Amino acid sequence: PDRSGFADHMDRYIGRKGASFDITRLILPSGSVTTEPDDDLLWQNAFGRLSINASSVEYILATAHDWALTLRRAVRTGGGAGAADMQEHIRGAIVNNVEISWGDQGQNGLATVKFAGIGKDWGWTGNTSVGSGYLNLSSAATTFRTSSARQLSVNSLFKVKTSTGGGSGILIDTVNYTTNVVSFSEALGTTLSSGRVIVPYNPTATTAGQPLHARIGFLSLDGSATQIQHLGGRVTIDDHRGLLNEEVGFDSASRVIRENRRDVTGTFAFILKKDEVGELLGRMDRNNSRDVQINIGDAANKTMKIRMKDFEWDMSALDIPDQGMTRITMSGRALGTLGNDSIKVRFM
């Protein structure tokens, strides 16, 4: 406690590190049933397991997968030769929340997915240059002094002028903010001298897939070919994995842990039609719907199927306007039957 007697807050101890993120993306199948969709690593980290067979790519839940990602975001400001670019990154990132939306819940009718989670540390890559005194810095060098190391952090990914090391950027292992010296594992790949500009290595993003539009697809409430019309929906997976950030001797998270059972929930919007009222309300009242399947898209190699084979509905209120159509938004929870099977996502 602060017992200085001053009215101002005084310097305090710095706590443990941590970071959070969320990334919203269009769902982009690759166009091949044996090739993963765009953002495959995020899908894999969220679910835990990937299965590729002759007819589909499947993402399957796992109990305790503990591998992590390094996420990077480039900020391009239009400066010449990348001199004004910036990059931020999160180390030790895990995806512990996924939200899939389509139809009236998507983006202008396009299906989207939001990946969210936490990481052990955040860092940045700014703009600096090779420090003074280097006339002929060896291409095999793995350390040098910069003009301002505060522009860099551990795990920064940079290039020096046109040198990108092995072609994928140079990754910083350590930074000394007193001496301005950085070290790295990749060789520079070319001879350098003082004053050469150091900027983030921000490769141009590429996408291979095509967006999925809600104008094609269907919803089945009982696992059969019987389709029921709906306006759109949202499925959320809250995996309840976390990062252990309490151990003595560590300033950031040291491992991935499971904090609770996962929650898989879904919300669907319908216009009530006289030939479907009993079906919808009956399933909600009896709480007996099983094997909910959503297909988004219908073209071969460009369809995503969401399957929740044991789904229980919650009671929901009807929205009955003075004029217009009666709507109902139905929500519920997906349950496991054999474990780790409450939801499966398939690209086919």
Side-chain angles (χ1 to χ4, degrees):
D2 182 0
R3 300 183 181 181
S4 64
F6 296 112
D8 294 324
H9 288 290
M10 307 304 289
D11 287 343
R12 296 172 293 172
Y13 289 105
I14 297 175
R16 298 177 186 268
K17 300 175 183 177
S20 62
F21 66 90
D22 65 79
I23 305 167
T24 300
R25 301 279 293 165
L26 293 174
I27 297 175
L28 300 173
S30 67
S32 168
V33 294
T34 57
T35 302
E36 300 91 323
D38 282 15
D39 307 309
D40 166 62
L41 290 177
L42 292 169
W43 284 105
Q44 281 196 56
N45 193 265
F47 279 77
R49 289 192 290 159
L50 169 67
S51 174
I52 301 177
N53 54 52
S55 60
S56 67
V57 174
E58 292 183 333
Y59 294 97
I60 305 168
L61 296 172
T63 297
H65 56 295
D66 59 2
W67 57 281
L69 301 169
T70 295
L71 304 178
R72 300 184 184 276
R73 180 171 69 169
V75 181
R76 300 181 184 274
T77 60
D85 285 0
M86 178 191 168
Q87 183 187 101
E88 60 177 349
H89 62 264
I90 296 179
R91 294 190 298 153
I94 62 170
V95 180
N96 59 15
N97 185 277
V98 178
E99 187 177 275
I100 303 170
S101 304
W102 68 96
D104 66 346
Q105 302 293 315
Q107 182 179 30
N108 297 323
L110 299 176
T112 62
V113 57
K114 183 174 81 170
F115 301 101
I118 53 179
K120 63 180 294 183
D121 198 3
W122 172 85
W124 67 94
T125 308
N127 293 247
T128 183
S129 60
V130 178
S132 61
Y134 295 105
L135 296 177
N136 192 11
L137 185 61
S138 170
S139 61
T142 56
T143 183
F144 60 75
R145 189 178 66 261
T146 67
S147 59
S148 177
R150 290 180 176 83
Q151 293 281 348
L152 306 168
S153 63
V154 172
N155 226 46
S156 281
L157 192 65
F158 71 95
K159 64 180 181 178
V160 185
K161 197 176 181 181
T162 58
S163 173
T164 60
S168 298
I170 302 167
L171 189 69
I172 289 183
D173 297 323
T174 64
V175 183
N176 188 316
Y177 293 111
T178 301
T179 63
N180 289 322
V181 171
V182 298
S183 65
F184 40 90
S185 300
E186 294 88 352
L188 289 173
T190 187
T191 301
L192 299 173
S193 58
S194 298
R196 292 294 178 91
V197 175
I198 298 171
V199 296
Y201 176 69
N202 289 332
T204 301
T206 58
T207 57
Q210 296 293 324
L212 294 174
H213 199 285
R215 68 180 183 272
I216 48 179
F218 70 86
L219 168 67
S220 170
L221 298 181
D222 56 8
S224 72
T226 303
Q227 303 174 16
I228 187 167
Q229 294 178 343
H230 73 301
L231 302 175
R234 176 177 290 122
V235 171
T236 301
I237 306 168
D238 195 348
D239 199 39
H240 292 298
R241 287 183 303 135
L243 297 176
L244 181 61
N245 203 9
E246 302 173 9
E247 290 187 314
V248 173
F250 294 89
D251 64 352
S252 62
S254 56
R255 67 188 73 183
V256 181
I257 59 173
R258 175 161 295 283
E259 300 174 319
N260 206 337
R261 297 179 185 271
R262 75 171 57 90
D263 290 313
V264 180
T265 56
T267 300
F268 305 85
F270 303 90
I271 293 176
L272 281 183
K273 299 167 61 179
K274 61 183 180 181
D275 58 336
E276 295 176 348
V277 170
E279 179 74 10
L280 285 173
L281 300 186
R283 290 180 180 277
M284 182 176 66
D285 180 59
R286 296 189 303 274
N287 196 21
N288 67 348
S289 184
R290 296 291 185 269
D291 205 358
V292 171
Q293 298 186 29
I294 307 103
N295 271 29
I296 305 173
D298 64 357
N301 308 330
K302 297 179 182 180
T303 298
M304 181 179 73
K305 177 187 284 291
I306 305 170
R307 184 180 184 186
M308 298 173 285
K309 63 182 180 180
D310 192 355
F311 193 88
E312 291 187 354
W313 297 105
D314 299 327
M315 293 297 295
S316 301
L318 295 175
D319 178 15
I320 305 177
D322 293 334
Q323 298 181 17
M325 297 171 289
T326 299
R327 298 173 180 248
I328 184 171
T329 299
M330 296 176 60
S331 302
R333 178 188 296 269
L335 306 174
T337 56
L338 300 175
N340 293 326
D341 58 355
S342 54
I343 186 172
K344 180 185 295 185
V345 170
R346 175 184 299 172
F347 290 87
M348 58 188 189

